[in-house]
Amino acid sequence: MAEEKKKALQVAALENGTAIDHIPPEQLFKVASLLELDKMDSCITLGNNLRSKKMGYKGMIKIDGKFFEEDEINRIALVAPNVVLNVIRDYEVVEKYHISLPKVLVGIVKCNNPQCISNNEPMLSRFDVIDPDQVTVKCQYCERKVNQEDILIK
C-alpha cells in the first residue's frame, strides 16, 4: 500500500486551486503559454510525460489559487480538447469537468480572413465548432473554415 502511494504521488498535492489533467504531452507548453502562466504570481507545477493508464503518457498543470472562467476553459479546449479540469479545495477534488469545445466560440478566435467583417468592425468574432474531434471551426460571418493548426486565439 505505501509503495502504491509513493508511485501515485508524482506531483505535489494542491491545497486550493485547479489541476488541468490529461493534457497530451505535446500540447502541455501550448496550454501553459495560452494561459500566460509566466505572468502569474501563484505557485505552479508543470508535469510532462507522466505515466497515465488512460493515455500512456500525459501532461498536467497545477495552479495554486486559480479558478478558471468559461472563456479560459474554452481556450484550453481549442489547444487540448478532452482534458480534465479538477477544482481543488482543502486538498480534495470538489468539482471535476471533462472539457470539450462548446458549439459556438464568441470573441475567442480571430478570423484569419483579412476581409472578414469581424476584423474590420468593432465586433466579437463568432465561430461554429463543426468538428470538435479534429478542432475545426467556421466563421459565422464569412464562413471560412479553420483547422486546429491554423486557429488564431485572441
Side-chain angles (χ1 to χ4, degrees), residues 14 19 27 40 45 47 52 59 61 63 73 77 81 84 94 107-108 119 122 135 147 150:
L14 185 61
Q27 298 299 92
M40 289 186 187
T45 303
S52 167
I61 301 173
I63 308 168
I73 293 168
V84 177
V94 295
I108 294 174
N119 290 324
V135 189
N147 295 323
D150 297 321

Side-chain angles (χ1 to χ4, degrees), residues 111-114 127 137-146:
C111 186
N112 50 11
N113 174 2
F127 282 80
V137 298
K138 182 174 82 171
C139 179
Q140 287 186 358
Y141 300 112
C142 71
E143 298 189 355
R144 179 171 283 191
K145 291 181 185 177
V146 185

Side-chain angles (χ1 to χ4, degrees), residues 41-95:
D41 293 331
S42 303
C43 181
I44 300 168
T45 303
L46 295 174
N48 204 20
N49 293 315
L50 303 169
R51 290 198 185 278
S52 167
K53 290 178 184 172
K54 179 180 173 184
M55 301 173 62
Y57 290 93
K58 67 179 180 177
M60 176 189 286
I61 301 173
K62 290 185 174 186
I63 308 168
D64 183 51
K66 175 69 175 167
F67 303 97
F68 291 97
E69 301 292 327
E70 184 178 355
D71 68 320
E72 293 172 303
I73 293 168
N74 290 338
R75 283 181 170 84
I76 295 168
L78 278 168
V79 174
N82 305 313
V83 299
V84 177
L85 200 81
N86 296 297
V87 176
I88 300 167
R89 297 193 193 278
D90 296 320
Y91 297 103
E92 298 290 329
V93 175
V94 295
E95 295 175 68

Side-chain angles (χ1 to χ4, degrees), residues 118-129:
S118 67
N119 290 324
N120 295 296
E121 297 291 331
M123 60 194 325
L124 293 175
S125 64
R126 297 182 64 85
F127 282 80
D128 292 316
V129 176

